[in-house]
């Protein structure tokens, strides 16, 4: 069998690409870390890949706004091939800065490229600062997301960001996302209840931690699944018995299962 | 023409930056502010059409969900409005990102871009109050100013025309003239060194050029050659020839540890990790810039040490950062802060955010550190930044060959950071704020990240034979050091500049950040340049390593400087200094043992040096790279203080590293020898506590000292160095790298504030199996609590004495032989999986250690003080709070106490109590209860002081 291929997209300031490639590789993908210049120049074609993974980091220093300059670059330099990628039902995952980039391209969640018509964004945490902490997350029962269909009711992952507060313009916008099954993950308390700070680390509307497109093939989230693959990653692994694989593993296994069937 | 776009938050959107300033103003004592609105201003220069500026505002700058924009017009903000701009010549990292975006958008009309911050302050505040806010919170004059309406935003310096080769009259100078020349040109060379230079040029029968003098100043600076440590010291009548060689280096030589690969030779020390890879580690100080511009100073501090790791051997991939800071207490009254010094709270916030923004952007986990407070760090904070890296073992060495081409990669060169190396070799004064502005730099982490990524690619393709970073002294040090044995010729006009107008000597000594120098075999140059170009990193050929032993500097073809490398690197006269030391006597307290020890326990838990540093830790990404095993905070609610961090640098392997630090300036005030012994013991205790083995552990030393030209300061240094030797040899743990910073005094008027002699010891241990790591939190009720190690009546320098207002004299000793046996035996118990929790006893002794284990694990404890192995006739409060070294508290299943005791045979050790399900910490003696406290109240006492800053 030919292994499905994952492209881990790099640019100036990407900094989670190695562990992201490791995560994809562990799940079964053949994972390549590729600088965006090589795709824009035509040297590397997106068409060979079935999974595009935009990892965390500080693309272009997050200058102006987190993910903004990279989002512009994606739209201007890779617009057509990215559109084709999406049309073919191939998978796109954006983690942390990758999520910020996907939101700012307009691909997520409403698929609109007109900046004046944007209805969703990620903005400064309510705490006003970058914070690194572990959070509890629950998947929405009726989400259409391909990546999360086998995860446990409540999982744990770390977040590390300063601009992760998800907001939409109106309640109608939120309802639209909910009705479409596009809300994927919400921050919760350790037993699945409604969180307050710091269980919800940034003050997101509806405590939303991750959203997807209508097909469930493009998914962005602030927490880092690639940082919880091994039991010793968990903050309390010395206190409780843990399975060998961490909660992040399922995201990549699901992506692999999907791509293997393509 | 200049166009302007202002971006403001829409009504109803949370403005966290404005809120932060409101809070900071309250802390300054300014009340009555009702609202602060913060906006971003972007200025663009060029022949820009309406359509283009409209696109820039809409497509690039505005987030329409949260923001609105205004082109050219000034917003009608309420209240007192000021706009803050960077000074000319200060690099604004955002500029480069804007150009990049404009290129992608196809907009070519913009020739310049700048950013400003706009503040609108509403409320009923006096002019004085507003000035205070501007001065203390919004503007740092070193890098910023309040922009006046109509001021010229874009200045264009003229390129330097022709070659104006300048000779400096040295041959004709007498001693006074030499001293004046050194002072006036900020050379920081002493009379003896100036005379040596004059005599050198006399022999050649010519005067030096300006660039030659500047090069000697850099190459011979304390910062670059450690003249004091390597000089001749008369210590209380005894002659020490090269203190470094006699103590620190000698320890490493005597131990001759098999894991050492490269020590004291390269930019960082290198040890073996596994069959294929080595680990390197370096810790630097960056105090001087941090005292003036905390954010930029700390950021470039971490940036610099990362380049040290990148510049070791053929380059290592950075895998972890450490940060240790010393500040004056954040609650210091404004009136106690001397003129010319920033308030410690501002320094602390600036330093933490500088390290945060640089380290996080680099994608390097900041996993270990500490923060110490003492009022004598006012005006002269200490900022230690450390980085570890991993590299294939065959990349551990470098060699420059004759004919190799000199390639400069990374950031462009500007006037930033000129004289950093020489200024950091002098004291800070109240005038430093104005005289030293050109020595301060702002880092650009993304530039360094790009350099790191591409360097590793080029390394793995074998495209260069040596490299080093541009740090202190800039190109003069980097090219000078690399070409020490070959000689080199450099064409300075080839160096890419940030802006025009630099003199040739400025190009040569500029400390502009994010640059590295490579030695490249001629047949690899083209491929190498292609690798960097593919990822938008500038790489330029600037010269050649010649092989003729001469360093030649040319500017547009004219030779402006020429050196004999042997003299440049070997000609600096040995320093001869006098050192004295005698033990001071401090008053001893005299008070009866309190019947309730809960109160002093809570006081110690809330002391600045002991309390939770979660506010700092959470701002650092300690999970990036995906290998964290023991995090800085641990326990049932992820908030207890870990002893050391453990991580897996290779994700497919369970082999890992543990990293810790020991620091305790309070002991040094009594006797620096015992401070050195104690902090080495502390660093090794912490390695042991997380499951590490001291037999696979290496040390780093960092000395931050007062002005060692003064004999008593130098005497402290001798004492501490001797302590380092004795402890390192006794434990068998070699030093692999170190650094000294020996001018940390703040001078104002006729007052001198000398920092306490501060030795930082960092420890690095290789762990075969991280799944055997142990954390410090109590795991469950009904387990046995054991003390390992002997408690002695050693209260000098303790926190218990400190809260009573005393220093005392009985500073803790280390019985190195017994300490080593204890740590090795304890490691064996942990290797066998017998230990559930382990915490070392340091500040606050057994009392604080058990309290921290209880509230971290959210498990109660009941302890009988009479069971603690202690010297005879000790008072209860002394037993509980003595800071004797080499002690641990461990949690063990009752059935395994016997097994543990057997392994610990011959080592003082006893079961002193059990964990309980009461959520109480109870300590009793033969007569009754000494402490009965709710563990959550103890946690609150520990968390409260630094919960928000």
């Amino acid at each position: 069998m030919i292994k499905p291929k994952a492209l881990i997209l790099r640019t100036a300031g990407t900094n989670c690409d190695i562990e992201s490639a490791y995560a994809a590789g562990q799940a079964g993908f053949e994972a390549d870390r590729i600088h965006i210049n090589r795709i824009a120049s035509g040297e590397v074609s997106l068409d060979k890949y079935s999974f595009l993974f935009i990892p965390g980091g500080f693309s272009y220093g997050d200058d102006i706004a987190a993910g903004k300059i990279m989002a512009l670059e994606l739209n201007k330099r890779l617009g057509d091939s990215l559109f084709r990628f999406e049309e073919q039902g191939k998978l796109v995952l954006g983690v942390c800065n990758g999520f910020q980039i996907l939101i700012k391209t307009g691909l997520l969640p409403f698929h609109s490229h007109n900046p004046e018509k944007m209805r969703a964004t990620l903005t400064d945490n309510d705490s006003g600062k970058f914070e690194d902490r572990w959070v509890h997350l629950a998947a929405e029962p009726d989400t259409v997301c391909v990546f999360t269909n086998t995860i446990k009711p409540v999982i744990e992952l770390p977040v590390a960001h300063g601009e992760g507060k998800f907001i939409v313009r109106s309640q109608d916008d939120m309802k639209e996302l909910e009705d479409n099954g596009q809300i994927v993950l919400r921050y919760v308390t350790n037993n699945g209840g409604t969180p307050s700070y710091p269980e919800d680390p940034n003050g997101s509307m509806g405590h939303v931690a991750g959203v997807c497109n209508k097909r469930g093939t493009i998914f962005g989230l602030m927490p880092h699944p690639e940082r919880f693959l091994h039991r010793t990653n968990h903050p309390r692994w010395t206190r409780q018995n843990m399975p060998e694989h961490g909660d992040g593993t399922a995201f990549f296994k699901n992506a692999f299962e999907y791509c293997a069937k393509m | 023409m200049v166009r302007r776009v202002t971006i403001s938050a829409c009504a109803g959107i949370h403005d966290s930056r404005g809120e932060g300033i409101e809070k900071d103003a309250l802390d300054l004592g300014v009340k009555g502010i009702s609202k602060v609105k913060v906006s971003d201003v972007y200025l663009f220069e060029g022949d820009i059409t309406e359509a283009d500026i409209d696109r820039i505002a809409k497509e690039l700058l505005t987030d329409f969900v949260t923001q609105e924009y205004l082109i050219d017009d000034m917003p009608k903000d309420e209240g007192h409005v000021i706009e803050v701009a960077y000074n000319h010549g200060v690099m604004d990292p955002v500029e480069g990102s804007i150009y990049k975006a404009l290129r992608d958008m196809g907009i070519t009309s913009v020739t310049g871009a700048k950013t400003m911050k706009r503040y609108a302050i509403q409320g009923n505040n006096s002019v004085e109050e507003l000035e205070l806010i501007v001065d203390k919170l919004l503007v740092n004059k070193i890098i910023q100013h309040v922009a006046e309406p109509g001021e010229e935003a874009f200045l264009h310096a003229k390129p330097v025309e022709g070659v104006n080769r300048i000779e400096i009259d040295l041959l004709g100078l007498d001693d006074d003239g030499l001293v004046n020349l050194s002072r006036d040109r900020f050379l920081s060379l002493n009379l003896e060194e100036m005379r040596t230079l004059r005599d050198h040029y006399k022999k050649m029968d010519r005067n030096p050029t300006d660039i030659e003098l500047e090069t000697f100043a850099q190459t011979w600076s304390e910062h670059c050659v450690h003249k004091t440590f390597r000089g001749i010291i008369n210590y209380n009548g005894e002659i020490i020839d090269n203190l470094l060689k006699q103590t620190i280096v000698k320890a490493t030589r005597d131990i001759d540890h098999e894991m050492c690969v490269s020590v004291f030779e390269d930019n960082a020390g290198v040890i073996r990790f596994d069959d294929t890879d080595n680990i390197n580690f370096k810790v630097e100080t960056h105090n001087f810039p941090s005292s003036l511009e905390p954010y930029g100073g700390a950021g470039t501090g971490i940036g610099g040490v990362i380049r040290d790791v990148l510049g070791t051997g053929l380059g290592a991939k950075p895998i972890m950062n450490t940060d240790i800071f010393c500040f004056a207490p954040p609650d210091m009254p404004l009136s106690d802060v001397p003129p010319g010094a920033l308030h410690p709270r501002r320094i602390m916030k600036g330093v933490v955010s500088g390290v945060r923004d640089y380290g996080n952007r680099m994608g390097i986990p900041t996993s270990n550190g500490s923060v110490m407070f003492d009022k004598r760090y006012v005006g002269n904070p200490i900022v230690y930044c450390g980085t570890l890296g991993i590299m294939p073992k065959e990349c551990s060495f470098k060699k420059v060959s004759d004919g190799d081409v000199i390639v400069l990669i990374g950031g462009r060169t500007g006037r930033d950071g000129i004289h950093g190396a020489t200024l950091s070799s002098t004291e800070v004064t109240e005038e430093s704020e104005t005289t030293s502005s050109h020595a301060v730099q702002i880092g650009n982490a993304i530039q360094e990240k790009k350099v790191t990524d591409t360097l590793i690619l080029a390394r793995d393709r074998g495209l260069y034979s040596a490299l080093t970073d541009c740090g202190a002294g800039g190109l003069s040090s980097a090219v000078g050091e690399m070409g020490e044995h070959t000689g080199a010729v450099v064409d300075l006009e080839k160096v890419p500049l940030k802006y025009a107008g630099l003199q040739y000597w400025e190009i040569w000594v500029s400390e502009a950040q994010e640059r590295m120098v490579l030695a490249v075999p001629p047949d690899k140059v083209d491929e190498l340049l292609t690798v960097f170009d593919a990822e938008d990193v500038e790489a330029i050929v600037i010269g050649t390593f010649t092989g003729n032993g001469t360093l030649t500097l040319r500017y547009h073809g004219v030779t402006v400087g020429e050196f004999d490398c042997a003299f440049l690197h070997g000609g600096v006269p040995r320093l001869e200094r006098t050192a004295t030391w005698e033990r001071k006597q401090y008053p001893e307290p005299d008070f009866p043992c309190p019947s309730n020890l809960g109160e002093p326990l809570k006081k110690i838990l809330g002391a600045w040096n002991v309390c939770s540093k979660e506010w700092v830790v959470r701002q650092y990404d300690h999970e990036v790279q995906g290998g964290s095993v023991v995090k800085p905070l641990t326990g049932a609610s992820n908030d207890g203080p870990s002893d050391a961090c453990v991580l897996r640098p290779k994700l497919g392997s369970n082999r890992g590293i543990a990293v810790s630090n020991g620091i305790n300036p309070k002991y040094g005030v009594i006797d620096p020898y015992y401070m050195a012994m104690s902090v080495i013991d502390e660093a090794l205790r912490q390695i042991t506590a997380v499951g590490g083995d001291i037999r696979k552990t290496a040390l780093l030393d960092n000395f931050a000292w007062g002005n060692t030209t003064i004999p008593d300061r130098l005497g402290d240094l001798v004492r501490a160095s001797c302590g380092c030797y004795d402890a390192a040899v006794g434990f068998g743990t070699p030093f692999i790298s170190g650094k000294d910073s020996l001018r940390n005094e703040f001078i104002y008027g006729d007052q001198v504030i000398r920092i306490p002699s501060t030795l930082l010891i960092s420890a690095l241990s290789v762990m075969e199996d991280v799944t055997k790591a142990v954390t410090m939190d109590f795991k469950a009720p009904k387990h046995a609590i054991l003390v390992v190690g002997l408690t002695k009546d050693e209260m000098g320098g303790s926190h218990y004495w400190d809260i009573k207002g005393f220093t005392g004299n009985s500073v803790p000793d280390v019985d190195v032989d017994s300490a080593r046996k204890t740590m090795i035996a304890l490691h064996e118990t942990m290797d066998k999986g017998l230990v559930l929790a382990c915490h070392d006893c340091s500040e606050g002794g057994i009392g604080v250690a058990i309290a921290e284990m209880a509230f971290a694990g959210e498990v109660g404890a009941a302890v009988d003080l009479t069971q603690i192995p202690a010297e005879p006739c000790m008072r209860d409060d002394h037993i509980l709070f003595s800071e004797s070294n080499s002690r641990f508290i461990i949690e063990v299943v009752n059935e395994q106490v016997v097994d543990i005791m057997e392994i610990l045979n011959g080592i003082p050790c006893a079961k002193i109590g059990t964990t309980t399900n009461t959520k109480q910490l109870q300590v009793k003696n033969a007569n009754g209860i000494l402490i009965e406290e709710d563990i959550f109240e103890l946690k609150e006492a520990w968390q409260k002081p630094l919960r928000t800053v």
Side-chain angles (χ1 to χ4, degrees), chain B residues 79-112:
Chain B
H80 178 74
V81 175
I82 68 153
E83 294 188 340
V84 177
Y86 283 117
N87 298 338
H88 290 292
V90 173
M91 203 233 6
D92 179 356
V94 181
E95 281 177 38
S97 298
I98 291 175
Y99 296 139
K100 150 82 189 156
L102 294 177
R103 275 198 305 280
D104 287 342
M105 292 167 69
I107 291 176
T108 54
S109 54
V110 174
T111 55

Side-chain angles (χ1 to χ4, degrees), chain A residues 19 63 121 233 238-239, chain B residues 63 97 535 625 631 775 777:
Chain A
E19 56 270 37
D63 293 334
T121 195
N233 286 135
T238 61
R239 297 183 66 80
Chain B
D63 183 330
S97 298
E535 302 204 1
Q625 300 193 10
K631 305 171 201 301
T775 54
D777 45 316

Side-chain angles (χ1 to χ4, degrees), chain B residues 488-776:
Chain B
V489 58
V490 178
D491 291 306
L492 292 166
E493 75 281 358
K494 293 193 176 155
V495 174
L497 302 181
K498 289 178 181 173
Y499 36 79
L502 267 72
Q503 303 294 329
Y504 56 79
W505 70 266
E506 291 179 309
I507 296 172
W508 182 236
V509 303
S510 161
E511 295 182 8
Q513 296 290 300
E514 290 99 23
R515 302 177 302 162
M516 305 283 293
V517 174
L518 311 185
V520 185
D523 60 332
K524 302 274 175 65
V525 171
D526 287 346
E527 192 182 347
L528 178 106
L529 297 183
T530 310
V531 167
F532 289 105
D533 184 58
E535 302 204 1
D536 308 322
V537 177
E538 215 160 19
I540 306 285
V541 173
I542 61 165
T544 312
F545 293 107
T546 52
N548 64 6
T550 304
L551 172 63
T552 305
L553 306 177
R554 294 190 302 225
Y555 188 58
H556 293 294
V558 177
T559 297
V560 290
E562 198 157 44
F563 309 83
D564 169 18
C565 289
F567 179 74
L568 179 62
H569 295 283
V572 59
R574 298 279 304 276
L575 271 185
E576 289 186 33
R577 290 256 158 85
T578 306
T580 55
W581 190 81
E582 66 184 318
R583 191 156 179 161
K584 292 180 200 72
Q585 286 300 314
Y586 296 93
E588 291 282 351
D590 179 19
F591 62 91
C593 183
S595 55
N596 174 0
L597 295 179
E599 282 313 307
L601 174 61
K602 279 193 272 192
K603 252 193 171 162
I604 298 173
L605 286 169
W608 288 118
N609 288 348
V610 176
C611 72
S612 170
K613 308 300 183 299
E614 182 166 355
W615 176 83
V616 181
V617 173
R618 288 265 172 250
Q619 296 190 59
Y620 298 148
D621 192 338
H622 48 258
E623 302 283 354
V624 64
Q625 300 193 10
S628 87
V629 175
V630 174
K631 305 171 201 301
L633 296 165
T634 194
S637 295
N638 309 337
D639 57 6
S642 291
D643 287 312
C645 73
V646 177
L647 54 83
R648 291 181 303 137
K650 295 164 85 168
L651 295 178
S653 161
N654 280 345
R655 185 175 273 260
I657 54 169
V659 177
S660 69
N661 71 82
I663 183 168
N664 197 329
K666 284 186 193 309
Y667 296 168
V669 171
I670 303 172
D671 188 338
Y673 177 84
Y674 292 105
M675 168 174 72
M677 299 277 280
S678 295
V679 297
I680 288 174
D681 189 89
E682 182 186 15
L684 295 175
R685 283 197 311 265
Q686 294 174 344
I687 292 289
T688 306
V690 296
D693 183 346
I694 62 166
R695 289 167 297 188
K696 291 171 184 153
T697 303
L699 303 177
L700 278 71
D701 59 278
N702 282 80
F703 295 84
W705 242 242
N707 179 358
T708 49
T709 62
I710 304 170
D712 63 342
R713 279 72 157 163
L714 190 56
D716 269 15
L717 190 69
V718 174
R719 281 293 288 170
S721 302
C722 294
C724 283
Y725 176 83
D726 289 349
V729 170
F731 280 110
T733 49
F735 290 102
I736 56 167
S737 172
K739 192 83 200 214
D740 51 279
S741 167
L742 306 180
R743 285 279 183 133
N744 294 289
E745 307 205 349
F746 186 83
I747 301 171
Y748 64 108
D750 55 359
Q751 304 272 326
V752 177
I753 305 177
R754 164 196 181 184
I755 67 155
S757 302
T758 307
L759 171 64
L760 167 69
I761 294 290
S762 308
L764 158 65
S765 189
V766 175
M767 287 176 78
E768 268 164 41
D769 182 0
V770 297
T771 65
K772 290 181 175 171
V774 174
T775 54
M776 50 72 66

Side-chain angles (χ1 to χ4, degrees), chain B residues 167 171 198-208:
Chain B
E167 286 192 4
L171 302 189
R198 183 189 56 196
D199 298 346
H200 175 70
Y201 279 94
K202 259 194 183 144
K203 263 187 246 158
M204 295 195 292
D205 195 25
R206 69 169 176 95
N207 271 311

Side-chain angles (χ1 to χ4, degrees), chain B residues 284-299:
Chain B
E284 271 279 10
T285 54
H286 218 233
N287 312 328
F288 172 72
S290 305
S291 66
L292 300 172
E293 209 297 281
Y295 180 84

Side-chain angles (χ1 to χ4, degrees), chain A residues 10 14-15 19 37 58 61 63 68 73 76 121 131-132 134 169 227 232-233 236-239, chain B residues 59 63-64 97 100 360-361 449 534-536 618 621-623 625-626 629 631 638 775 777-778 857:
Chain A
R10 287 176 54 227
T14 306
N15 67 27
E19 56 270 37
N37 283 353
F58 290 81
D63 293 334
K68 179 71 194 184
E73 183 173 19
K76 302 288 178 194
T121 195
E131 286 189 329
D132 175 327
W134 281 67
R169 284 205 183 181
R227 294 184 182 182
T232 61
N233 286 135
R236 294 179 304 283
W237 72 272
T238 61
R239 297 183 66 80
Chain B
E59 289 179 40
D63 183 330
F64 282 87
S97 298
K100 150 82 189 156
N360 290 353
R361 276 169 173 68
K449 178 67 173 138
E535 302 204 1
D536 308 322
R618 288 265 172 250
D621 192 338
H622 48 258
E623 302 283 354
Q625 300 193 10
V629 175
K631 305 171 201 301
N638 309 337
T775 54
D777 45 316
F778 280 144

Side-chain angles (χ1 to χ4, degrees), chain B residues 1 12 213 403 492 561 790 820 899 934:
Chain B
M1 177 184 168
L213 263 191
L492 292 166
L790 182 66
R820 177 179 154 84
D899 303 332
D934 181 292

